[in-house]
Amino acid sequence: MASRANMPPELEIGSRPLLIRFNGDDQPTIMDPFDGSFREVTLQLDALQGKQCLDCFQGEWLLMFDGGTKECFLVSLVSLSRISLPPLLTPLENIYMCALSSPTLPDCTIMFISERIKYGGGGGGDGDEEEERYLVYCRPGDEEWWELDDETDGTYHAIFDKIVGSQGTMYVRTDMHTFVAVNAALSSSSDACIERRGIPHPSTMRWSRKEYLVESDGDVFLVQFYTHGFYNSEVVDIDIHRLDTSGYVWEKVESIGDRTIFVSSSNCVVLSSASRAGIQPGCVHLLHEDCSDGIRLYTIRLHDRTMSCSLLPGFSDSMYWVVPSSFKEGLRENLTILSSQFNNKTKLNEDMGQALAPWSTLPVEMVEELVPRISLIDYLNVRGVCKGWNLISKPIQYGKRYPIYPMLMSICSSSVGMFKLFDPIVEKEYTMKNNSLVPCKDYFQMPLFTKDGRVLVIRGDKYMYAANPITGDVVELPEIPLLGEQFDGISFSSPPNSPNCIVCSIHKERVSKTRSYSRW
């Protein structure tokens, strides 16, 4: 066991991004999720003994609750300082997401979403029950928690399950795919109030997704993870939007600058200056819990849209990111999971104007001798240099060396008709853009299956097509009869342009253990 006094240096709070895990009445444990050994030590602190953790703010402050006394307080994992809050009389099963109005504790408002049962009012008699959600809030020093009833103006039915605070304003998602802005910059003589309703939700490229609201330096971000798979979902892509408070609209962003975002279903933390702390910037780390085999840690690097995944051991009632604001500066030990770098990357669409003239003067015979020793993508580049080189055919030696040349393909979700190929023979990655992908700005696209040099791609939830990324040939398929999210496997029997091609998908249901087959 370990207390704060004898914590191993590698698991010392503030030394690196860590996870704190709560399992019922057991003592919480601390773990480094980026260390492949996944070592855990027990954190013994008197302030946590016999208490329940309701949330973790700013990657440092735990919101603790004593079920016997109804005592509620905040405690810092760094300084062990404590901030008392009013007794919490709301049943814990009716408490949802919590948030702070600003990061400047204790000068802020704590607010969470709660729920109660409302009886009557329906057409089914006195036994009618209706769930009603509302907001509960207080400031440190208050004697009790206050309620803000959900008085809608018709733009939504009820407060939903996402909340974040920024510069004294709380942003809460509703069940009508909109947001409301709540003024929580309170004084002793003021109450919280809904200042703006009907803030539209940003556009989405796929219906199956997980969403998280995060705050950083006064900016509010909506992070959307697109998933595939019904019961054991996998993360396949990401979108990030920033709220423009001047017009209350969401703007899609491709970069988060020097930030790094840590996300879980329990809490979200943003490291504003990752590079100064020795952490690779521009990354999003997600704890994905909708998995039958445990909790997956996804790391997504936004600059090249690459993703890695590791499986964390065991399950937990709640798991929080611990990335305090006092994160040690000058730390230069990079995270293990981020140590792999993709070097020697080449863009096929780079400007080659200055290189064309001297290379095109080389004898064609000399170039033909070099072709068998280069990769397939480089061969395509060679043919694009000039008209003379375009006539060079792939020699028979190349075919003997690589009879079936393997390539890994991924689609750039933020671009139109653009995809990436990774050459495992020479370990190079290429970005390509041609007509082999259907231009699609508003819908998610993902490769599903490949055979005979053709890739089966889903576009949105209803459409598929088969494309040859090298030749640019595209075969459109009929509309999918079921949502594309609900199948577990898919294949085609023969080249899609042949008349006898059959596309077959498999859908598994865990309860009945049955399988259904679709042909269209």
Side-chain angles (χ1 to χ4, degrees):
M1 295 185 179
S3 65
R4 279 292 305 275
N6 59 356
M7 184 71 66
E10 65 273 14
L11 294 178
E12 180 183 350
I13 293 174
S15 63
R16 66 196 66 202
L18 300 173
L19 289 173
I20 182 170
R21 186 200 301 258
F22 291 86
N23 281 316
D25 297 330
D26 298 335
Q27 289 285 342
T29 59
I30 289 287
M31 177 180 66
D32 181 355
F34 302 105
D35 180 5
S37 64
F38 300 119
R39 180 187 179 188
E40 285 189 76
V41 297
T42 300
L43 182 63
Q44 290 187 319
L45 295 176
D46 293 339
L48 309 182
Q49 193 79 22
K51 310 294 193 302
Q52 293 177 266
C53 182
L54 304 183
D55 212 319
C56 180
F57 300 125
Q58 308 300 326
E60 172 184 352
W61 289 89
L62 298 181
L63 177 61
M64 304 302 298
F65 174 73
D66 189 321
T69 64
K70 307 301 180 183
E71 179 189 19
C72 191
F73 61 92
L74 292 163
V75 60
S76 169
L77 287 171
V78 176
S79 65
L80 301 184
S81 59
R82 177 168 167 159
I83 300 175
S84 297
L85 299 174
L88 185 59
L89 304 179
T90 303
L92 294 188
E93 59 269 19
N94 295 338
I95 292 178
Y96 294 88
M97 301 293 292
C98 305
L100 299 179
S101 63
S102 69
T104 56
L105 279 164
D107 186 23
C108 66
T109 301
I110 299 99
M111 182 177 290
F112 60 80
I113 301 171
S114 186
E115 185 179 77
R116 59 188 165 209
I117 303 299
K118 184 178 181 181
Y119 296 94
D126 296 336
D128 289 347
E129 296 182 0
E130 182 180 351
E131 296 179 349
E132 181 183 52
R133 291 193 176 182
Y134 58 102
L135 298 173
V136 177
Y137 64 94
C138 78
R139 290 178 64 86
D142 288 350
E143 296 183 356
E144 61 180 315
W145 292 84
W146 306 93
E147 293 184 5
L148 175 60
D149 290 329
D150 182 18
E151 298 178 356
T152 176
D153 60 353
T155 57
Y156 63 96
H157 295 136
I159 293 293
F160 210 50
D161 60 352
K162 299 290 186 296
I163 181 172
V164 71
S166 174
Q167 298 180 330
T169 300
M170 298 289 192
Y171 298 93
V172 190
R173 192 164 76 97
T174 75
D175 63 346
M176 297 298 289
H177 227 50
T178 61
F179 295 86
V180 297
V182 180
N183 180 11
L186 308 178
S187 65
S188 58
S189 60
S190 61
D191 296 328
C193 61
I194 297 179
E195 287 191 337
R196 189 178 185 93
R197 297 176 170 87
I199 301 174
H201 193 283
S203 61
T204 58
M205 299 178 67
R206 187 173 174 86
W207 75 277
S208 182
R209 65 189 181 277
K210 282 184 168 293
E211 296 183 336
Y212 302 89
L213 285 168
V214 299
E215 186 273 343
S216 174
D217 299 329
D219 287 328
V220 174
F221 295 92
L222 180 66
V223 185
Q224 299 173 318
F225 297 94
Y226 298 111
T227 60
H228 183 77
F230 197 72
Y231 293 106
N232 193 26
S233 64
E234 298 180 2
V235 176
V236 295
D237 211 336
I238 183 176
D239 271 343
I240 300 179
H241 292 80
R242 186 186 68 85
L243 180 62
D244 180 1
T245 55
S246 62
Y248 287 100
V249 294
W250 294 93
E251 298 176 342
K252 186 176 180 179
V253 297
E254 303 296 338
S255 171
I256 55 175
D258 198 32
R259 299 179 175 96
T260 288
I261 301 177
F262 302 85
V263 182
S264 75
S265 60
S266 300
N267 75 325
C268 303
V269 185
V270 181
L271 192 59
S272 299
S273 182
S275 59
R276 189 172 59 183
I279 303 295
Q280 182 175 342
C283 293
V284 180
H285 306 283
L286 166 69
L287 290 182
H288 186 54
E289 302 177 29
D290 291 345
C291 313
S292 61
D293 50 359
I295 299 175
R296 295 176 188 166
L297 172 59
Y298 285 93
T299 294
I300 304 171
R301 304 164 188 83
L302 297 177
H303 72 280
D304 60 2
R305 311 293 291 193
T306 58
M307 182 187 306
S308 61
C309 177
S310 59
L311 183 65
L312 304 186
F315 296 86
S316 65
D317 294 339
S318 56
M319 186 178 288
Y320 301 93
W321 285 105
V322 179
V323 192
S325 57
S326 57
F327 193 81
K328 290 182 178 179
E329 298 183 8
L331 179 66
R332 290 296 175 260
E333 182 180 351
N334 290 331
L335 302 180
T336 303
I337 198 172
L338 301 179
S339 61
S340 174
Q341 302 291 331
F342 289 92
N343 298 321
N344 301 322
K345 295 183 180 179
T346 304
K347 303 291 185 180
L348 293 187
N349 56 351
E350 289 180 351
D351 184 9
M352 300 178 58
Q354 296 181 353
L356 293 183
W359 284 108
S360 60
T361 60
L362 289 177
V364 174
E365 294 79 8
M366 181 182 297
V367 180
E368 289 177 341
E369 291 295 324
L370 297 175
V371 166
R373 296 172 173 81
I374 62 179
S375 70
L376 176 62
I377 299 300
D378 288 336
Y379 163 70
L380 297 177
N381 285 342
V382 166
R383 294 189 59 184
V385 170
C386 60
K387 292 182 178 179
W389 289 18
N390 187 51
L391 299 177
I392 299 176
S393 61
K394 187 171 64 175
I396 189 171
Q397 296 95 325
Y398 197 99
K400 290 179 180 179
R401 184 181 178 187
Y402 307 122
I404 302 177
Y405 196 86
M407 300 289 286
L408 296 176
M409 176 181 174
S410 64
I411 296 178
C412 305
S413 62
S414 60
S415 59
V416 179
M418 187 174 292
F419 61 94
K420 293 183 178 181
L421 291 176
F422 179 74
D423 187 335
I425 303 298
V426 296
E427 298 184 354
K428 286 187 178 182
E429 184 183 71
Y430 308 91
T431 300
M432 300 186 68
K433 183 175 183 179
N434 58 26
N435 60 352
S436 62
L437 288 183
V438 176
C440 186
K441 291 184 178 180
D442 301 323
Y443 298 98
F444 177 86
Q445 296 197 85
M446 182 177 71
L448 302 174
F449 179 76
T450 179
K451 182 180 179 181
D452 298 329
R454 292 173 174 81
V455 180
L456 194 62
V457 181
I458 186 170
R459 183 174 78 250
D461 299 319
K462 298 182 179 180
Y463 302 99
M464 285 188 188
Y465 63 91
N468 187 322
I470 304 301
T471 65
D473 297 334
V474 177
V475 177
E476 289 279 0
L477 300 178
E479 183 176 329
I480 305 173
L482 296 174
L483 289 177
E485 171 68 17
Q486 295 184 352
F487 60 80
D488 296 89
I490 194 166
S491 175
F492 51 82
S493 60
S494 56
N497 56 353
S498 63
N500 60 344
C501 175
I502 297 176
V503 179
C504 180
S505 67
I506 298 177
H507 170 55
K508 296 185 296 184
E509 296 180 359
R510 288 191 175 187
V511 177
S512 61
K513 303 296 183 181
T514 60
R515 295 186 178 185
S516 60
Y517 299 85
S518 302
R519 175 179 176 177
W520 70 95

